[in-house]
Structures are given as C-alpha cells and as structure tokens.
Amino acid sequence: QSALTQPLSASGSLGQSVTISCTGTGSDVGTHNDVSWYQQRPGKVPKLIIYGVNQRPSGVPDRFSGSKSGNTASLTVSGLQGEDEADYYCLSNAGNYMAVFGTGTHVTVL
Amino acid sequence: QVQMEQSGSELKTPGASVKVSCKASGYSLSSFSINWVRQAPGQGLEWMGWINTKTGKPTYAQDFRGRFVFSLDTSVRTAFLQISRLKIEDTAVYYCVRDLTTCAFDFWGRGTLVTVSS
C-alpha cells in the first residue's frame, strides 16, 4: 500500500485560506469515507482535526473543513492564524482492515 | 479522561528486541481498537497496524509483518508493541492511538522513542 500523495508544502497569508490535497486511489480514498486529517506542530503529538471526510471533533475550530471528490480528499484552513503553521497528514481506510497515511504537507503562514 | 500512557524511551543495539507498552484509561477498552503509528526522525507518519481489543487479533501493515508483534493484556488495560531483530532504521517514535471509529485516531500516546545504535 503506497502512501497517499500530498504536496510537500503549502502557504498562505494571515487571514487567508489554504487547501491541501490528499490523492489516493479507488481502493482507498475513492472508495471509503473514512478519511481523517491530523495537525502536528513541531515536537508535538499529532492531533485529529477532521474525521469521516468532513466531521470536526469537539474543540476543533470551524476554520478547518474537509471534503472529498473522487480519489482526492482536501483539507481547507480558512482565516489562517500563526498557530496553524504545522505539518498536516491525511489518513484513509485502505480496505481489508488496512489504513494508509499521506506523505504530509508543511503549511507556512506568511 | 481518556489517556494513552506509553513507556519511556529505549536505547538498543542492532539485533536486540524491545517491548513498548501503552496503558489505556478513562474509557471502555473493548469499545475501541488501538493502532500503532511510527515516525522516523524528520519523517512522516506511518500506519503500522492495529489490535482488536475485543478479540486480541492483530492486523499488520505490509511493511510491519515479521519482526513486529502487537499484543494486549486486558487485565491491566495495556497494549504492547514488540520489535525483534532491531535495525538501525527502526529508530523512530512509536505512538499508540485510540481509534474512535474507522481511521479516526482521537487520542494519542506521547510516543516512545526507540533508538537503535551500535
């Protein structure tokens, strides 16, 4: 199972939006709605920010939103804040009780 | 509150074995599976597999079959990751995580750094 493909980096200015893609195949992202996103700040433990494609856990700001089209899932961060500068990873159900992470995207807030 | 408490850092030589523990508390253990995730220094997250906390059955990702073993002791609410025949490239932080629903890792342990060095 190959890692899902994410851009290495993305950036946006304070207050603007950034969208990160997560491209898989018809066996993972394309088939399953079990797609989640994680934020990992430097030196910290990853944090769940989106699950089930577009569900936000309690306490996660609504600036974070998720969507999916075909084999590609996306995470949008609106109203960028300095604290959003971090690495972001997607995770998808890959069938047969398997899962796979994305390659990770570093978001820079300009 | 939900906690996943992991054992401390380990320093091992190549060829040795290591056993990492993950004690779950604050919820019904059998209601959620426990997954394991690896992160090598400066690298991304890798899904290693999971253990069914109702049956104790482990499932391994392709790259983690053979030297990696997941186990569970429900009497002490603890999951274990054992790695045998350690290699330099096994140096990484290993996380145990609770799966809220399929692929929704809501509570993470602090991570256990395993360093393999001669």
Side-chain angles (χ1 to χ4, degrees), chain A residues 1 34-36 38 40 44-48 51-52 89 91-93 96-103, chain B residues 37 39 43-47 50 59-62 65 95 100-106 108-111:
Chain A
Q1 181 71 47
D34 306 307
V35 177
S36 52
Y38 301 84
Q40 186 178 33
K44 301 296 186 183
V45 175
K47 174 187 174 184
L48 176 67
Y51 68 97
Y89 297 91
L91 172 72
S92 176
N93 184 342
N96 294 317
Y97 305 103
M98 297 290 173
V100 60
F101 274 106
T103 50
Chain B
V37 175
Q39 187 167 37
Q43 302 301 308
L45 303 175
E46 289 182 272
W47 181 76
W50 62 289
T59 298
Y60 303 95
Q62 181 81 32
R65 293 173 189 167
Y95 295 101
L100 172 66
T101 176
T102 307
C103 290
F105 298 169
D106 61 344
W108 293 62
R110 287 179 174 233

mmCIF file of all heavy atoms in Angstrom, chain A residues 1 34-36 38 40 44-48 51-52 89 91-93 96-103, chain B residues 37 39 43-47 50 59-62 65 95 100-106 108-111:
data_model
loop_
_atom_site.group_PDB
_atom_site.id
_atom_site.type_symbol
_atom_site.label_atom_id
_atom_site.label_comp_id
_atom_site.label_asym_id
_atom_site.label_seq_id
_atom_site.Cartn_x
_atom_site.Cartn_y
_atom_site.Cartn_z
ATOM 1 N N GLN A 1 0.842 -1.186 0.000
ATOM 2 C CA GLN A 1 0.000 0.000 0.000
ATOM 3 C C GLN A 1 0.886 1.248 0.000
ATOM 4 O O GLN A 1 1.626 1.481 0.954
ATOM 5 C CB GLN A 1 -0.889 0.012 1.261
ATOM 6 C CG GLN A 1 -1.830 1.187 1.360
ATOM 7 C CD GLN A 1 -2.954 1.114 0.348
ATOM 8 O OE1 GLN A 1 -3.613 0.084 0.171
ATOM 9 N NE2 GLN A 1 -3.172 2.209 -0.352
ATOM 10 N N ASP A 34 -13.844 7.044 5.184
ATOM 11 C CA ASP A 34 -13.078 7.074 6.441
ATOM 12 C C ASP A 34 -11.763 7.792 6.182
ATOM 13 O O ASP A 34 -10.697 7.169 6.119
ATOM 14 C CB ASP A 34 -12.810 5.646 6.925
ATOM 15 C CG ASP A 34 -14.060 4.825 7.043
ATOM 16 O OD1 ASP A 34 -15.001 5.298 7.712
ATOM 17 O OD2 ASP A 34 -14.094 3.715 6.476
ATOM 18 N N VAL A 35 -11.853 9.092 5.966
ATOM 19 C CA VAL A 35 -10.668 9.917 5.720
ATOM 20 C C VAL A 35 -10.559 10.921 6.858
ATOM 21 O O VAL A 35 -11.537 11.587 7.209
ATOM 22 C CB VAL A 35 -10.762 10.679 4.383
ATOM 23 C CG1 VAL A 35 -9.539 11.584 4.195
ATOM 24 C CG2 VAL A 35 -10.879 9.700 3.219
ATOM 25 N N SER A 36 -9.394 11.005 7.437
ATOM 26 C CA SER A 36 -9.174 11.938 8.538
ATOM 27 C C SER A 36 -7.928 12.770 8.281
ATOM 28 O O SER A 36 -7.111 12.448 7.411
ATOM 29 C CB SER A 36 -9.051 11.190 9.874
ATOM 30 O OG SER A 36 -8.087 10.154 9.798
ATOM 31 N N TYR A 38 -4.781 15.188 10.347
ATOM 32 C CA TYR A 38 -4.058 15.405 11.594
ATOM 33 C C TYR A 38 -3.128 16.604 11.455
ATOM 34 O O TYR A 38 -2.487 16.789 10.417
ATOM 35 C CB TYR A 38 -3.259 14.146 11.969
ATOM 36 C CG TYR A 38 -4.180 12.965 12.115
ATOM 37 C CD1 TYR A 38 -4.559 12.230 10.987
ATOM 38 C CD2 TYR A 38 -4.754 12.626 13.336
ATOM 39 C CE1 TYR A 38 -5.476 11.194 11.086
ATOM 40 C CE2 TYR A 38 -5.665 11.591 13.441
ATOM 41 C CZ TYR A 38 -6.025 10.898 12.314
ATOM 42 O OH TYR A 38 -6.937 9.878 12.411
ATOM 43 N N GLN A 40 0.196 18.329 13.125
ATOM 44 C CA GLN A 40 1.324 18.067 14.016
ATOM 45 C C GLN A 40 2.228 19.295 14.061
ATOM 46 O O GLN A 40 2.909 19.613 13.091
ATOM 47 C CB GLN A 40 2.119 16.836 13.574
ATOM 48 C CG GLN A 40 3.205 16.458 14.574
ATOM 49 C CD GLN A 40 3.965 15.213 14.187
ATOM 50 O OE1 GLN A 40 4.176 14.932 13.015
ATOM 51 N NE2 GLN A 40 4.408 14.449 15.181
ATOM 52 N N LYS A 44 5.478 18.071 18.696
ATOM 53 C CA LYS A 44 4.236 17.694 19.381
ATOM 54 C C LYS A 44 3.632 16.417 18.808
ATOM 55 O O LYS A 44 4.011 15.942 17.742
ATOM 56 C CB LYS A 44 3.210 18.833 19.275
ATOM 57 C CG LYS A 44 3.688 20.141 19.877
ATOM 58 C CD LYS A 44 3.918 20.025 21.363
ATOM 59 C CE LYS A 44 4.255 21.366 21.978
ATOM 60 N NZ LYS A 44 4.560 21.244 23.427
ATOM 61 N N VAL A 45 2.655 15.901 19.528
ATOM 62 C CA VAL A 45 1.914 14.726 19.106
ATOM 63 C C VAL A 45 0.862 15.141 18.080
ATOM 64 O O VAL A 45 0.266 16.209 18.211
ATOM 65 C CB VAL A 45 1.224 14.076 20.331
ATOM 66 C CG1 VAL A 45 0.334 12.918 19.910
ATOM 67 C CG2 VAL A 45 2.262 13.618 21.349
ATOM 68 N N PRO A 46 0.646 14.337 17.043
ATOM 69 C CA PRO A 46 -0.409 14.670 16.075
ATOM 70 C C PRO A 46 -1.768 14.820 16.756
ATOM 71 O O PRO A 46 -2.053 14.166 17.760
ATOM 72 C CB PRO A 46 -0.404 13.472 15.128
ATOM 73 C CG PRO A 46 0.992 12.930 15.222
ATOM 74 C CD PRO A 46 1.378 13.120 16.660
ATOM 75 N N LYS A 47 -2.593 15.675 16.162
ATOM 76 C CA LYS A 47 -3.924 15.954 16.703
ATOM 77 C C LYS A 47 -4.965 15.757 15.607
ATOM 78 O O LYS A 47 -4.801 16.264 14.491
ATOM 79 C CB LYS A 47 -3.973 17.402 17.207
ATOM 80 C CG LYS A 47 -5.334 17.867 17.669
ATOM 81 C CD LYS A 47 -5.314 19.356 17.974
ATOM 82 C CE LYS A 47 -6.705 19.881 18.290
ATOM 83 N NZ LYS A 47 -6.710 21.342 18.500
ATOM 84 N N LEU A 48 -6.019 15.035 15.927
ATOM 85 C CA LEU A 48 -7.113 14.814 14.980
ATOM 86 C C LEU A 48 -7.886 16.110 14.780
ATOM 87 O O LEU A 48 -8.360 16.709 15.753
ATOM 88 C CB LEU A 48 -8.044 13.733 15.527
ATOM 89 C CG LEU A 48 -9.314 13.426 14.729
ATOM 90 C CD1 LEU A 48 -8.971 12.805 13.376
ATOM 91 C CD2 LEU A 48 -10.239 12.500 15.522
ATOM 92 N N TYR A 51 -12.414 14.038 10.744
ATOM 93 C CA TYR A 51 -12.587 12.611 10.513
ATOM 94 C C TYR A 51 -13.850 12.411 9.687
ATOM 95 O O TYR A 51 -14.672 13.330 9.557
ATOM 96 C CB TYR A 51 -12.637 11.833 11.832
ATOM 97 C CG TYR A 51 -13.871 12.100 12.676
ATOM 98 C CD1 TYR A 51 -14.966 11.238 12.634
ATOM 99 C CD2 TYR A 51 -13.933 13.211 13.517
ATOM 100 C CE1 TYR A 51 -16.096 11.476 13.398
ATOM 101 C CE2 TYR A 51 -15.058 13.460 14.274
ATOM 102 C CZ TYR A 51 -16.126 12.598 14.228
ATOM 103 O OH TYR A 51 -17.241 12.835 14.983
ATOM 104 N N GLY A 52 -13.995 11.202 9.140
ATOM 105 C CA GLY A 52 -15.172 10.940 8.320
ATOM 106 C C GLY A 52 -15.315 11.952 7.189
ATOM 107 O O GLY A 52 -16.424 12.404 6.901
ATOM 108 N N TYR A 89 -1.326 15.782 7.956
ATOM 109 C CA TYR A 89 -1.342 14.456 7.348
ATOM 110 C C TYR A 89 -2.781 13.984 7.157
ATOM 111 O O TYR A 89 -3.615 14.166 8.051
ATOM 112 C CB TYR A 89 -0.640 13.435 8.248
ATOM 113 C CG TYR A 89 0.826 13.705 8.469
ATOM 114 C CD1 TYR A 89 1.251 14.482 9.540
ATOM 115 C CD2 TYR A 89 1.787 13.158 7.618
ATOM 116 C CE1 TYR A 89 2.604 14.718 9.754
ATOM 117 C CE2 TYR A 89 3.136 13.390 7.819
ATOM 118 C CZ TYR A 89 3.531 14.177 8.891
ATOM 119 O OH TYR A 89 4.873 14.408 9.102
ATOM 120 N N LEU A 91 -5.237 10.541 6.418
ATOM 121 C CA LEU A 91 -5.249 9.098 6.689
ATOM 122 C C LEU A 91 -6.513 8.552 6.054
ATOM 123 O O LEU A 91 -7.590 9.155 6.180
ATOM 124 C CB LEU A 91 -5.264 8.843 8.193
ATOM 125 C CG LEU A 91 -5.468 7.391 8.637
ATOM 126 C CD1 LEU A 91 -4.218 6.560 8.355
ATOM 127 C CD2 LEU A 91 -5.810 7.327 10.130
ATOM 128 N N SER A 92 -6.406 7.416 5.394
ATOM 129 C CA SER A 92 -7.588 6.826 4.776
ATOM 130 C C SER A 92 -7.678 5.338 5.048
ATOM 131 O O SER A 92 -6.669 4.631 5.170
ATOM 132 C CB SER A 92 -7.565 7.036 3.258
ATOM 133 O OG SER A 92 -8.660 6.380 2.631
ATOM 134 N N ASN A 93 -8.890 4.875 5.158
ATOM 135 C CA ASN A 93 -9.188 3.458 5.150
ATOM 136 C C ASN A 93 -8.744 2.930 3.783
ATOM 137 O O ASN A 93 -9.067 3.520 2.745
ATOM 138 C CB ASN A 93 -10.690 3.282 5.350
ATOM 139 C CG ASN A 93 -11.116 1.827 5.463
ATOM 140 O OD1 ASN A 93 -10.397 0.913 5.078
ATOM 141 N ND2 ASN A 93 -12.310 1.619 5.976
ATOM 142 N N ASN A 96 -9.794 -3.993 3.566
ATOM 143 C CA ASN A 96 -9.191 -5.192 4.179
ATOM 144 C C ASN A 96 -8.557 -4.893 5.529
ATOM 145 O O ASN A 96 -7.487 -5.424 5.852
ATOM 146 C CB ASN A 96 -8.141 -5.811 3.244
ATOM 147 C CG ASN A 96 -8.755 -6.363 1.983
ATOM 148 O OD1 ASN A 96 -9.812 -7.012 2.042
ATOM 149 N ND2 ASN A 96 -8.138 -6.094 0.849
ATOM 150 N N TYR A 97 -9.233 -4.037 6.297
ATOM 151 C CA TYR A 97 -8.783 -3.690 7.657
ATOM 152 C C TYR A 97 -7.441 -2.962 7.669
ATOM 153 O O TYR A 97 -6.729 -2.993 8.673
ATOM 154 C CB TYR A 97 -8.719 -4.939 8.537
ATOM 155 C CG TYR A 97 -10.033 -5.685 8.569
ATOM 156 C CD1 TYR A 97 -10.221 -6.850 7.826
ATOM 157 C CD2 TYR A 97 -11.097 -5.191 9.319
ATOM 158 C CE1 TYR A 97 -11.435 -7.504 7.836
ATOM 159 C CE2 TYR A 97 -12.316 -5.842 9.339
ATOM 160 C CZ TYR A 97 -12.485 -6.996 8.595
ATOM 161 O OH TYR A 97 -13.684 -7.645 8.603
ATOM 162 N N MET A 98 -7.099 -2.322 6.577
ATOM 163 C CA MET A 98 -5.861 -1.582 6.447
ATOM 164 C C MET A 98 -6.118 -0.080 6.392
ATOM 165 O O MET A 98 -7.244 0.353 6.111
ATOM 166 C CB MET A 98 -5.118 -1.991 5.168
ATOM 167 C CG MET A 98 -4.689 -3.436 5.139
ATOM 168 S SD MET A 98 -3.360 -3.724 6.324
ATOM 169 C CE MET A 98 -3.247 -5.508 6.192
ATOM 170 N N ALA A 99 -5.074 0.691 6.665
ATOM 171 C CA ALA A 99 -5.145 2.151 6.562
ATOM 172 C C ALA A 99 -3.830 2.653 5.990
ATOM 173 O O ALA A 99 -2.831 1.920 5.937
ATOM 174 C CB ALA A 99 -5.394 2.771 7.934
ATOM 175 N N VAL A 100 -3.856 3.879 5.523
ATOM 176 C CA VAL A 100 -2.634 4.456 4.956
ATOM 177 C C VAL A 100 -2.627 5.967 5.195
ATOM 178 O O VAL A 100 -3.661 6.631 5.060
ATOM 179 C CB VAL A 100 -2.509 4.126 3.446
ATOM 180 C CG1 VAL A 100 -3.677 4.681 2.652
ATOM 181 C CG2 VAL A 100 -1.180 4.604 2.886
ATOM 182 N N PHE A 101 -1.468 6.478 5.586
ATOM 183 C CA PHE A 101 -1.288 7.921 5.772
ATOM 184 C C PHE A 101 -0.846 8.576 4.475
ATOM 185 O O PHE A 101 -0.310 7.930 3.568
ATOM 186 C CB PHE A 101 -0.184 8.187 6.812
ATOM 187 C CG PHE A 101 -0.666 8.182 8.238
ATOM 188 C CD1 PHE A 101 -0.368 7.109 9.073
ATOM 189 C CD2 PHE A 101 -1.389 9.249 8.752
ATOM 190 C CE1 PHE A 101 -0.796 7.104 10.400
ATOM 191 C CE2 PHE A 101 -1.817 9.257 10.072
ATOM 192 C CZ PHE A 101 -1.517 8.173 10.894
ATOM 193 N N GLY A 102 -1.053 9.876 4.424
ATOM 194 C CA GLY A 102 -0.494 10.687 3.359
ATOM 195 C C GLY A 102 0.952 11.032 3.655
ATOM 196 O O GLY A 102 1.455 10.780 4.761
ATOM 197 N N THR A 103 1.614 11.594 2.672
ATOM 198 C CA THR A 103 3.037 11.912 2.783
ATOM 199 C C THR A 103 3.308 13.128 3.655
ATOM 200 O O THR A 103 4.445 13.337 4.077
ATOM 201 C CB THR A 103 3.632 12.149 1.393
ATOM 202 O OG1 THR A 103 2.792 13.077 0.676
ATOM 203 C CG2 THR A 103 3.715 10.849 0.612
ATOM 204 N N VAL B 37 1.493 3.703 15.276
ATOM 205 C CA VAL B 37 1.976 4.601 14.233
ATOM 206 C C VAL B 37 3.459 4.863 14.472
ATOM 207 O O VAL B 37 3.869 5.093 15.620
ATOM 208 C CB VAL B 37 1.197 5.940 14.255
ATOM 209 C CG1 VAL B 37 1.774 6.932 13.235
ATOM 210 C CG2 VAL B 37 -0.288 5.699 13.972
ATOM 211 N N GLN B 39 6.974 7.113 13.467
ATOM 212 C CA GLN B 39 7.500 8.338 12.863
ATOM 213 C C GLN B 39 9.013 8.366 13.041
ATOM 214 O O GLN B 39 9.507 8.586 14.153
ATOM 215 C CB GLN B 39 6.861 9.586 13.472
ATOM 216 C CG GLN B 39 7.267 10.868 12.751
ATOM 217 C CD GLN B 39 6.415 12.057 13.145
ATOM 218 O OE1 GLN B 39 6.018 12.212 14.294
ATOM 219 N NE2 GLN B 39 6.122 12.932 12.177
ATOM 220 N N GLN B 43 10.710 12.480 9.569
ATOM 221 C CA GLN B 43 9.881 11.855 8.530
ATOM 222 C C GLN B 43 8.398 11.935 8.884
ATOM 223 O O GLN B 43 8.014 12.463 9.930
ATOM 224 C CB GLN B 43 10.293 10.391 8.357
ATOM 225 C CG GLN B 43 11.750 10.202 7.985
ATOM 226 C CD GLN B 43 12.118 10.894 6.689
ATOM 227 O OE1 GLN B 43 11.471 10.702 5.665
ATOM 228 N NE2 GLN B 43 13.145 11.724 6.723
ATOM 229 N N GLY B 44 7.573 11.399 7.987
ATOM 230 C CA GLY B 44 6.130 11.440 8.170
ATOM 231 C C GLY B 44 5.605 10.298 9.027
ATOM 232 O O GLY B 44 6.364 9.500 9.586
ATOM 233 N N LEU B 45 4.291 10.230 9.114
ATOM 234 C CA LEU B 45 3.624 9.213 9.904
ATOM 235 C C LEU B 45 3.418 7.956 9.059
ATOM 236 O O LEU B 45 3.046 8.037 7.886
ATOM 237 C CB LEU B 45 2.264 9.727 10.382
ATOM 238 C CG LEU B 45 2.279 11.024 11.200
ATOM 239 C CD1 LEU B 45 0.851 11.479 11.503
ATOM 240 C CD2 LEU B 45 3.069 10.839 12.492
ATOM 241 N N GLU B 46 3.642 6.803 9.673
ATOM 242 C CA GLU B 46 3.405 5.515 9.003
ATOM 243 C C GLU B 46 2.436 4.706 9.849
ATOM 244 O O GLU B 46 2.670 4.497 11.043
ATOM 245 C CB GLU B 46 4.695 4.707 8.903
ATOM 246 C CG GLU B 46 5.727 5.192 7.939
ATOM 247 C CD GLU B 46 6.924 4.235 7.949
ATOM 248 O OE1 GLU B 46 7.829 4.433 8.782
ATOM 249 O OE2 GLU B 46 6.937 3.305 7.120
ATOM 250 N N TRP B 47 1.392 4.217 9.234
ATOM 251 C CA TRP B 47 0.465 3.345 9.930
ATOM 252 C C TRP B 47 1.045 1.938 9.985
ATOM 253 O O TRP B 47 1.378 1.350 8.947
ATOM 254 C CB TRP B 47 -0.878 3.337 9.209
ATOM 255 C CG TRP B 47 -1.914 2.491 9.867
ATOM 256 C CD1 TRP B 47 -2.627 2.789 10.993
ATOM 257 C CD2 TRP B 47 -2.354 1.197 9.444
ATOM 258 N NE1 TRP B 47 -3.488 1.762 11.291
ATOM 259 C CE2 TRP B 47 -3.328 0.770 10.363
ATOM 260 C CE3 TRP B 47 -2.013 0.356 8.377
ATOM 261 C CZ2 TRP B 47 -3.987 -0.459 10.245
ATOM 262 C CZ3 TRP B 47 -2.661 -0.858 8.262
ATOM 263 C CH2 TRP B 47 -3.629 -1.257 9.190
ATOM 264 N N TRP B 50 -3.065 -2.477 13.724
ATOM 265 C CA TRP B 50 -3.951 -2.293 14.862
ATOM 266 C C TRP B 50 -4.223 -3.615 15.560
ATOM 267 O O TRP B 50 -3.945 -4.694 15.024
ATOM 268 C CB TRP B 50 -5.269 -1.657 14.413
ATOM 269 C CG TRP B 50 -6.080 -2.471 13.447
ATOM 270 C CD1 TRP B 50 -5.804 -2.719 12.136
ATOM 271 C CD2 TRP B 50 -7.334 -3.127 13.722
ATOM 272 N NE1 TRP B 50 -6.797 -3.486 11.577
ATOM 273 C CE2 TRP B 50 -7.750 -3.749 12.515
ATOM 274 C CE3 TRP B 50 -8.140 -3.237 14.847
ATOM 275 C CZ2 TRP B 50 -8.941 -4.467 12.431
ATOM 276 C CZ3 TRP B 50 -9.318 -3.958 14.759
ATOM 277 C CH2 TRP B 50 -9.709 -4.564 13.554
ATOM 278 N N THR B 59 -3.582 -6.905 13.324
ATOM 279 C CA THR B 59 -3.505 -6.766 11.868
ATOM 280 C C THR B 59 -2.323 -5.853 11.573
ATOM 281 O O THR B 59 -2.202 -4.794 12.191
ATOM 282 C CB THR B 59 -4.801 -6.157 11.304
ATOM 283 O OG1 THR B 59 -5.896 -7.026 11.582
ATOM 284 C CG2 THR B 59 -4.689 -5.948 9.793
ATOM 285 N N TYR B 60 -1.473 -6.280 10.646
ATOM 286 C CA TYR B 60 -0.245 -5.554 10.369
ATOM 287 C C TYR B 60 -0.242 -4.979 8.954
ATOM 288 O O TYR B 60 -0.661 -5.638 8.009
ATOM 289 C CB TYR B 60 0.965 -6.486 10.529
ATOM 290 C CG TYR B 60 1.065 -7.130 11.885
ATOM 291 C CD1 TYR B 60 0.556 -8.401 12.126
ATOM 292 C CD2 TYR B 60 1.669 -6.449 12.948
ATOM 293 C CE1 TYR B 60 0.629 -8.983 13.386
ATOM 294 C CE2 TYR B 60 1.755 -7.023 14.207
ATOM 295 C CZ TYR B 60 1.231 -8.288 14.418
ATOM 296 O OH TYR B 60 1.310 -8.856 15.671
ATOM 297 N N ALA B 61 0.281 -3.768 8.827
ATOM 298 C CA ALA B 61 0.540 -3.224 7.507
ATOM 299 C C ALA B 61 1.647 -4.055 6.864
ATOM 300 O O ALA B 61 2.448 -4.700 7.567
ATOM 301 C CB ALA B 61 0.966 -1.757 7.605
ATOM 302 N N GLN B 62 1.693 -4.031 5.543
ATOM 303 C CA GLN B 62 2.634 -4.865 4.796
ATOM 304 C C GLN B 62 4.070 -4.727 5.305
ATOM 305 O O GLN B 62 4.772 -5.721 5.495
ATOM 306 C CB GLN B 62 2.561 -4.470 3.317
ATOM 307 C CG GLN B 62 3.468 -5.251 2.401
ATOM 308 C CD GLN B 62 2.883 -6.600 2.029
ATOM 309 O OE1 GLN B 62 1.666 -6.756 1.938
ATOM 310 N NE2 GLN B 62 3.737 -7.575 1.828
ATOM 311 N N ARG B 65 5.198 -6.691 8.856
ATOM 312 C CA ARG B 65 4.941 -8.105 9.086
ATOM 313 C C ARG B 65 6.277 -8.831 9.266
ATOM 314 O O ARG B 65 7.195 -8.631 8.481
ATOM 315 C CB ARG B 65 4.173 -8.706 7.900
ATOM 316 C CG ARG B 65 2.783 -8.131 7.796
ATOM 317 C CD ARG B 65 2.057 -8.580 6.555
ATOM 318 N NE ARG B 65 0.807 -7.816 6.414
ATOM 319 C CZ ARG B 65 0.056 -7.789 5.329
ATOM 320 N NH1 ARG B 65 0.385 -8.505 4.274
ATOM 321 N NH2 ARG B 65 -1.048 -7.051 5.300
ATOM 322 N N TYR B 95 3.952 5.580 18.324
ATOM 323 C CA TYR B 95 2.757 6.068 19.008
ATOM 324 C C TYR B 95 1.701 4.967 19.073
ATOM 325 O O TYR B 95 1.475 4.253 18.081
ATOM 326 C CB TYR B 95 2.134 7.229 18.247
ATOM 327 C CG TYR B 95 2.926 8.494 18.145
ATOM 328 C CD1 TYR B 95 3.629 8.822 16.990
ATOM 329 C CD2 TYR B 95 2.941 9.409 19.201
ATOM 330 C CE1 TYR B 95 4.339 10.005 16.890
ATOM 331 C CE2 TYR B 95 3.654 10.603 19.104
ATOM 332 C CZ TYR B 95 4.344 10.896 17.945
ATOM 333 O OH TYR B 95 5.039 12.085 17.849
ATOM 334 N N LEU B 100 -11.352 6.146 17.303
ATOM 335 C CA LEU B 100 -12.724 6.491 17.668
ATOM 336 C C LEU B 100 -13.722 5.734 16.788
ATOM 337 O O LEU B 100 -14.709 5.187 17.265
ATOM 338 C CB LEU B 100 -12.928 8.002 17.514
ATOM 339 C CG LEU B 100 -14.347 8.530 17.677
ATOM 340 C CD1 LEU B 100 -14.825 8.324 19.106
ATOM 341 C CD2 LEU B 100 -14.412 10.007 17.296
ATOM 342 N N THR B 101 -13.460 5.717 15.520
ATOM 343 C CA THR B 101 -14.248 4.982 14.545
ATOM 344 C C THR B 101 -13.238 4.629 13.470
ATOM 345 O O THR B 101 -12.066 4.902 13.654
ATOM 346 C CB THR B 101 -15.433 5.814 14.020
ATOM 347 O OG1 THR B 101 -16.098 5.061 13.014
ATOM 348 C CG2 THR B 101 -14.975 7.131 13.430
ATOM 349 N N THR B 102 -13.588 4.059 12.386
ATOM 350 C CA THR B 102 -12.563 3.637 11.436
ATOM 351 C C THR B 102 -11.737 4.831 10.968
ATOM 352 O O THR B 102 -12.259 5.782 10.398
ATOM 353 C CB THR B 102 -13.197 2.946 10.224
ATOM 354 O OG1 THR B 102 -14.045 1.892 10.690
ATOM 355 C CG2 THR B 102 -12.130 2.367 9.309
ATOM 356 N N CYS B 103 -10.429 4.746 11.232
ATOM 357 C CA CYS B 103 -9.486 5.786 10.794
ATOM 358 C C CYS B 103 -9.830 7.163 11.366
ATOM 359 O O CYS B 103 -9.835 8.168 10.645
ATOM 360 C CB CYS B 103 -9.419 5.863 9.277
ATOM 361 S SG CYS B 103 -8.622 4.418 8.547
ATOM 362 N N ALA B 104 -10.100 7.211 12.657
ATOM 363 C CA ALA B 104 -10.291 8.495 13.351
ATOM 364 C C ALA B 104 -9.534 8.383 14.666
ATOM 365 O O ALA B 104 -10.101 8.017 15.697
ATOM 366 C CB ALA B 104 -11.773 8.776 13.594
ATOM 367 N N PHE B 105 -8.258 8.707 14.624
ATOM 368 C CA PHE B 105 -7.370 8.496 15.763
ATOM 369 C C PHE B 105 -7.470 9.685 16.714
ATOM 370 O O PHE B 105 -6.796 10.700 16.546
ATOM 371 C CB PHE B 105 -5.931 8.311 15.282
ATOM 372 C CG PHE B 105 -5.715 7.113 14.401
ATOM 373 C CD1 PHE B 105 -4.529 6.957 13.707
ATOM 374 C CD2 PHE B 105 -6.689 6.124 14.267
ATOM 375 C CE1 PHE B 105 -4.307 5.843 12.899
ATOM 376 C CE2 PHE B 105 -6.487 5.012 13.458
ATOM 377 C CZ PHE B 105 -5.294 4.879 12.769
ATOM 378 N N ASP B 106 -8.311 9.536 17.737
ATOM 379 C CA ASP B 106 -8.648 10.706 18.539
ATOM 380 C C ASP B 106 -7.768 10.921 19.759
ATOM 381 O O ASP B 106 -7.610 12.053 20.216
ATOM 382 C CB ASP B 106 -10.129 10.689 18.937
ATOM 383 C CG ASP B 106 -10.525 9.492 19.786
ATOM 384 O OD1 ASP B 106 -9.763 8.502 19.830
ATOM 385 O OD2 ASP B 106 -11.610 9.550 20.391
ATOM 386 N N TRP B 108 -3.930 10.079 21.328
ATOM 387 C CA TRP B 108 -2.591 9.584 21.042
ATOM 388 C C TRP B 108 -1.776 9.497 22.324
ATOM 389 O O TRP B 108 -1.883 10.371 23.201
ATOM 390 C CB TRP B 108 -1.877 10.537 20.089
ATOM 391 C CG TRP B 108 -2.458 10.608 18.717
ATOM 392 C CD1 TRP B 108 -3.714 11.023 18.370
ATOM 393 C CD2 TRP B 108 -1.803 10.268 17.496
ATOM 394 N NE1 TRP B 108 -3.876 10.955 17.011
ATOM 395 C CE2 TRP B 108 -2.720 10.498 16.450
ATOM 396 C CE3 TRP B 108 -0.528 9.787 17.179
ATOM 397 C CZ2 TRP B 108 -2.399 10.252 15.111
ATOM 398 C CZ3 TRP B 108 -0.206 9.560 15.856
ATOM 399 C CH2 TRP B 108 -1.138 9.781 14.839
ATOM 400 N N GLY B 109 -0.944 8.474 22.409
ATOM 401 C CA GLY B 109 0.051 8.458 23.470
ATOM 402 C C GLY B 109 1.111 9.520 23.176
ATOM 403 O O GLY B 109 1.134 10.099 22.084
ATOM 404 N N ARG B 110 1.989 9.764 24.144
ATOM 405 C CA ARG B 110 3.029 10.780 23.970
ATOM 406 C C ARG B 110 4.115 10.315 23.000
ATOM 407 O O ARG B 110 4.930 11.107 22.547
ATOM 408 C CB ARG B 110 3.694 11.105 25.301
ATOM 409 C CG ARG B 110 2.817 11.923 26.219
ATOM 410 C CD ARG B 110 3.538 12.191 27.548
ATOM 411 N NE ARG B 110 2.741 13.100 28.359
ATOM 412 C CZ ARG B 110 3.190 14.218 28.890
ATOM 413 N NH1 ARG B 110 4.449 14.584 28.698
ATOM 414 N NH2 ARG B 110 2.399 14.990 29.610
ATOM 415 N N GLY B 111 4.119 9.011 22.726
ATOM 416 C CA GLY B 111 5.145 8.464 21.848
ATOM 417 C C GLY B 111 6.301 7.895 22.654
ATOM 418 O O GLY B 111 6.654 8.399 23.714
#
